Structure formats: structure tokens, C-alpha cells
Amino acid sequence: ELPALWPDISVTSSISSNIELNSLEANKGAALKQLCGLLGVGLEETLAFGDGSNDLTMLSAAGTGAAMLNASDNVKAAADIVTEADNNCAGVAQTVYRLMPEIGGACDEGSDRGARGDKRADRISARLHKPVVPHREAALHLQESLAKVRAP
């Protein structure tokens, strides 16, 4: 009802009993695009997490949009994947570790943990119908990008 009253304003919510009114250009998707431009990272390389309608633009802009287990139904429907735990039970961390196990600690090439991580990435790639960036390469790229931004 509110969007019909104010067609030039974005009406979203992050929690029940909350209304967020913003310019149509002020959204998390636009912010993610700008951040990727600054870091020199392609949107297809990003993984974004959300649980409310205010996250929808970010989830659609990201290479992979992940809805939290406790997200609203419309957010889950818009996401590529749904986490196995909610935001109160480390759902983001669990999903990042599942996709990129080396972030949690170093692994040898021949370690069982590394092999399990590769198999998980293959399963996720098959479900998403798109490749998951190899975790070591993605972690290194993220570290290099952050170093560039922090450098004076």
C-alpha cells in the first residue's frame, strides 16, 4: 500500500514492525556494485547474505545471493541458496566455511578437509548451475583487494 502512495520512494523492511523509506537509488544492491567497482571485483565473484526485503537488491546484484534460514519467504525465493542455520546460529560463517573452508584455517592440498571442501563446492556449483570460485583463489583475491583499498 505504501509504495503506491510514494512511487518515487523505496519502501522496505528489515524486521517486523519496521518500515524503511529511502530514495530508489539508495539500496544495498547499488552499494555492492559501487564497492565491487572500487575493489576491482566482478559482481559475479560476490556472495551476499540477507534476511529482509531491504536485502533483495543486494541478493539479486551479487554473483550468489544467500538467504538466511530465518529470512522471509520472498527473500528465500529471490536467493540462489538458503543457509542451513539462521543469523543467530552462525549461518553466515557456516555457509562461508562450507563454500571456502580455507578461510577457517590453512589446509594442505592433500588434506581430507580440503577434499571435502572441493566436493562441497562441486555440489553447490551443480545446484546453482554456475561455478563456485575455487576457495584458495577467492580468499587470496579478497586479501589482495582489501590490501589495495587499505594502501594509502
Side-chain angles (χ1 to χ4, degrees), residues 14-151:
S14 56
I15 57 173
S16 61
S17 303
N18 173 38
I19 297 174
E20 298 171 13
L21 304 172
N22 289 297
S23 160
L24 291 174
E25 291 83 33
N27 63 68
K28 292 181 181 184
L32 179 61
K33 289 175 186 175
Q34 187 169 17
L35 177 62
C36 285
L38 290 170
L39 295 175
V41 174
L43 280 168
E44 70 280 358
E45 298 178 70
T46 63
L47 170 63
F49 294 85
D51 62 355
S53 63
N54 64 332
D55 298 316
L56 289 170
T57 57
M58 176 180 63
L59 295 177
S60 68
T64 302
M68 301 305 298
L69 183 63
N70 59 314
S72 58
D73 289 339
N74 66 325
V75 173
K76 288 179 181 177
D80 298 306
I81 60 174
V82 177
T83 63
E84 295 175 7
D86 65 25
N87 59 330
N88 297 312
C89 295
V92 170
Q94 288 179 17
T95 304
V96 169
Y97 288 154
R98 186 181 65 195
L99 294 173
M100 299 171 43
E102 281 68 27
I103 287 181
C107 283
D108 295 333
E109 276 296 321
S111 78
D112 182 50
R113 183 173 171 221
R116 285 193 319 263
D118 290 343
K119 288 177 187 170
R120 285 187 196 124
D122 290 343
R123 283 197 313 269
I124 292 166
S125 291
R127 274 192 300 209
L128 295 176
H129 305 291
K130 56 185 166 184
V132 172
V133 177
H135 25 74
R136 285 184 186 87
E137 292 175 28
L140 289 173
H141 183 71
L142 177 61
Q143 289 173 346
E144 291 170 1
S145 296
L146 289 174
K148 289 178 190 174
V149 171
R150 291 182 184 138

